[in-house]
Amino acid sequence: MDEVLLRSLTPGVLAVLVRRGADFAAAEDAVQDALVEAVRVWPADPPRDAKGWLVTVAWRRFLDARRADAARRRREDLVEEEPGPDTASVSAVDDTLQLYFLCAHPSLTPASAVALTLRAVGGLTTRQIAQAYLVPEATMAQRISRAKRTVSGVRFDRPGDVATVLRVLYLVFNEGYSGDVDLAAEAIRLTRQLAAVIDHPEVAGLLALMLLHHARRAARTAPDGSLVPLAEQDRGRWDTAMIAEGVGILQAALARDRLGEFQAQAAVAALHADAPTAEETDWVQIVEWYDELVRLTGSPVVRLNRAVAVGEADGPRAGLAALAGLDPSLPRHTAAAAYLHERDGDLATAARLYAEAARRASDLAERDHLTRQAARLNSRRRG
């Protein structure tokens, strides 16, 4: 059984059911039933049209459930005929992209819309979504359940706003870029498609940001799987064509003078990509872009990144001073403090903080990297 194929078809099948009037929760249940049936039937009798088969079976299961609970699930405009496989032909607008918009429904808060879309369309687990939001898994499970209850029975005839869809794509890309589910390429594909149909500088800014980060992907890990910090990466392994494309898209967006957070983040990434070596990075400009990001978002994570940039531009003590005003419980706060203390020559404090950061890290590769940093400094101190 080709699980990758089933995973790729699921959003499109769900979108077809929703477009035909099925409420979201019932449509999701019907699609899951169809997937179970596919796992049972396909190995012995694979269909010629996989998507059409899934649509037909899922629609049949939805109709069965509707008839069994007609008092609660009646729809005046529901077509009482089973669609044939030909009705599942690919439309001009990608089903998955359309489903992103449908999940960003006006009846949901942005946070709930993002969580629901990541679960239903992105295929992420509740635990992965909770990690993206930095909240307990139980909290996220409740949020997703509430979102499903909210949209259950709502006709998805109004798309959500662009900002929510962009946030979804951004989180999906980040999960694919650094997590155990590779969704980065899919996020880029969908963002390209969105940019082709929506003339919006922040859509272009997000696409540029993704391309600039993705261009460095091959250099981010060593052959043994360990993380390679940006300053130590082999820049010859960066995808220069992808960088050029990202910079070109960003420049066109910035020329419209409607700055948003994704454009500002992409500008930071472009400055890193433009530097021939780590030592030649224009940290002064990077600090200026972080100032813009602080103005646009007020995000404490942005302030944390700015503090590290200040440490590079004005010296580690200036960076530590900027870091001092931030909540120590922020993710990567301890690792940033360790790095700045090391640059300031305080190896004992840096080693202790690297070890503490390693204990707090949830990602295994990051934990291993921080542990090695602590061991390296301890070795230097003993030597």
Side-chain angles (χ1 to χ4, degrees):
M1 172 55 58
D2 191 341
E3 294 183 5
V4 174
L5 174 62
L6 286 177
R7 180 186 177 91
S8 67
L9 292 174
T10 298
V13 176
L14 183 56
V16 170
L17 267 65
V18 170
R19 284 204 306 270
R20 291 182 169 275
D23 63 83
F24 190 93
E28 190 176 36
D29 289 342
V31 172
Q32 291 302 315
D33 287 345
L35 294 175
V36 171
E37 185 70 5
V39 171
R40 186 182 70 83
V41 171
W42 285 10
D45 185 20
R48 287 194 299 271
D49 180 358
K51 182 178 177 182
W53 189 98
L54 287 171
V55 168
T56 299
V57 173
W59 186 255
R60 192 175 292 146
R61 295 301 173 88
F62 170 73
L63 290 179
D64 288 345
R66 178 182 178 274
R67 294 184 184 109
D69 198 10
R72 293 192 301 109
R73 299 191 181 280
R74 187 172 302 278
R75 291 285 184 278
E76 292 182 356
D77 57 349
L78 188 65
V79 178
E80 294 288 349
E81 297 178 0
E82 297 176 2
D86 58 323
T87 63
S89 59
V90 178
S91 61
V93 178
D94 183 85
D95 282 332
T96 305
L97 182 63
Q98 183 179 24
L99 194 57
Y100 272 107
F101 273 100
L102 293 176
C103 285
H105 194 272
S107 63
L108 295 173
T109 65
S112 294
V114 169
L116 182 60
T117 308
L118 287 172
R119 181 71 184 92
V121 187
L124 303 187
T125 65
T126 301
R127 175 175 296 180
Q128 289 167 330
I129 302 170
Q131 290 174 347
Y133 269 98
L134 308 175
V135 299
E137 184 177 355
T139 300
M140 184 53 64
Q142 292 175 353
R143 183 180 299 177
I144 293 173
S145 295
R146 285 196 300 269
K148 287 183 178 180
R149 287 196 298 271
T150 299
V151 301
S152 182
V154 171
R155 178 64 182 253
F156 283 103
D157 55 359
R158 292 182 297 162
D161 61 42
V162 174
T164 303
V165 175
L166 291 181
R167 183 63 55 189
V168 170
L169 292 170
Y170 180 61
L171 287 176
V172 171
F173 177 81
N174 282 342
E175 181 66 33
Y177 192 63
S178 60
D180 59 357
V181 178
D182 187 2
L183 294 175
E186 177 69 2
I188 291 174
R189 184 185 73 83
L190 292 170
T191 307
R192 283 190 188 279
Q193 192 168 64
L194 186 61
V197 298
I198 297 181
D199 185 19
H200 194 297
E202 273 292 83
V203 176
L206 178 58
L207 178 57
L209 176 64
M210 289 179 176
L211 292 171
L212 289 165
H213 279 301
H214 205 58
R216 303 199 301 259
R217 186 171 188 175
R220 290 185 72 245
T221 54
D224 63 359
S226 60
L227 290 180
V228 180
L230 177 60
E232 300 172 19
Q233 289 176 14
D234 178 1
R235 299 186 178 218
R237 299 184 65 195
W238 291 0
D239 188 330
T240 55
M242 192 175 292
I243 289 172
E245 181 187 5
V247 169
I249 292 171
L250 173 62
Q251 289 175 338
L254 291 175
R256 300 178 64 176
D257 198 24
R258 290 169 55 195
L259 184 64
E261 65 171 299
F262 291 121
Q263 295 169 72
Q265 286 190 54
V268 172
L271 287 167
H272 283 298
D274 187 55
T277 66
E279 293 73 22
E280 296 173 87
T281 304
D282 190 342
W283 287 106
V284 173
Q285 273 205 69
I286 288 177
V287 172
E288 291 173 355
W289 279 112
Y290 275 127
D291 288 338
E292 290 289 347
L293 274 168
V294 169
R295 180 182 63 81
L296 288 166
T297 68
S299 166
V301 174
V302 170
R303 294 181 186 274
L304 176 67
N305 292 333
R306 178 188 178 278
V308 175
V310 167
E312 299 287 359
D314 300 329
R317 294 192 179 183
L320 287 167
L323 197 64
L326 300 177
D327 185 351
S329 66
L330 276 173
R332 296 187 171 85
H333 183 285
T334 307
Y339 173 74
L340 291 170
H341 276 291
E342 179 184 355
R343 289 201 62 230
D344 195 38
D346 187 352
L347 302 189
T349 300
R352 176 178 58 79
L353 291 173
Y354 275 131
E356 181 182 338
R359 289 192 295 271
R360 295 182 179 183
S362 58
D363 179 79
L364 180 59
E366 182 180 0
R367 185 184 311 138
D368 289 345
H369 170 71
L370 293 168
T371 300
R372 284 194 297 271
Q373 294 293 84
R376 174 180 58 81
L377 293 187
N378 285 326
S379 178
R380 281 179 58 186
R381 291 171 57 217
R382 287 192 298 268

